[in-house]
Amino acid sequence: ASDVYKRQEFEKTVEQITSQLKSIHLNGSNAPVILVGTRKDQIEDGHSSLSTLSEALSAQLSRRCAPMIAGLMKNSNDNAPEQDQLCFYAIENSRGFQGDASIRALVDAIDSASQQLPSMKQRIPLPWLKVYDDFHKLSETQPTATCSS
């Protein structure tokens, strides 16, 4: 019964991820994608189980939505060879940033992914940022005008 439950939970998870990937692809087809799995400490057999899970997940996502995972950033933590890299970042969120190296690796991956975005390469004139800051401060102190019919 436990194996049936695990298969059902895996299938449910794959469906949820596929749905989210479709939404990301629809709104930003070239966006980098980072998958994160929490509660790493609850996984039995550590990296071996994570590797098996990653292989199964990667196979299912490739079968169901291959174009949508083109921007998937693999977990290059531990400088593993590409074939051994997980398709997700397994973290133990209860330990926080200082207590879990995988969270720090995730932060680095997010930083790396954001640097690839075209918007990060755009130069914005400094006076525009001042206007933005002024509007932001104004919005905090002034009531917002609304239109009513």
Side-chain angles (χ1 to χ4, degrees):
S2 178
D3 287 343
V4 171
Y5 175 75
K6 286 180 182 178
R7 280 195 301 268
Q8 289 173 339
E9 285 299 304
F10 178 76
E11 179 62 28
K12 181 179 165 186
T13 300
V14 171
E15 285 297 322
Q16 290 172 337
I17 293 170
T18 301
S19 174
Q20 293 296 319
L21 287 171
K22 287 177 182 178
S23 177
I24 292 168
H25 188 72
L26 179 65
N27 295 299
S29 61
N30 295 325
V33 176
I34 300 173
L35 300 178
V36 180
T38 59
R39 302 181 189 152
K40 178 176 70 174
D41 285 356
Q42 293 179 10
I43 301 294
E44 296 174 14
D45 299 329
H47 189 75
S48 173
S49 292
L50 290 173
S51 184
T52 301
L53 178 60
S54 177
E55 288 173 18
L57 180 59
S58 185
Q60 286 296 318
L61 294 178
S62 292
R63 185 176 66 79
R64 297 177 190 207
C65 55
M68 296 166 208
I69 59 170
L72 182 64
M73 295 185 64
K74 291 192 172 187
N75 183 350
S76 58
N77 196 15
D78 302 328
N79 297 317
E82 187 172 347
Q83 67 270 15
D84 295 335
Q85 294 176 358
L86 301 178
C87 70
F88 60 91
Y89 284 77
I91 65 167
E92 181 48 53
N93 45 326
S94 66
R95 287 196 238 147
F97 182 81
Q98 295 301 326
D100 187 8
S102 59
I103 292 177
R104 293 189 297 277
L106 172 61
V107 169
D108 289 343
I110 293 169
D111 182 54
S112 175
S114 68
Q115 295 303 318
Q116 295 176 22
L117 297 172
S119 60
M120 295 299 286
K121 294 176 178 76
Q122 291 179 337
R123 297 182 60 91
I124 300 173
L126 192 56
W128 290 11
L129 294 175
K130 169 126 177 49
V131 170
Y132 172 81
D133 287 342
D134 289 346
F135 276 129
H136 185 72
K137 286 178 187 174
L138 187 62
S139 72
E140 292 174 351
T141 61
Q142 300 294 317
T144 304
T146 59
C147 297
S148 58
S149 47

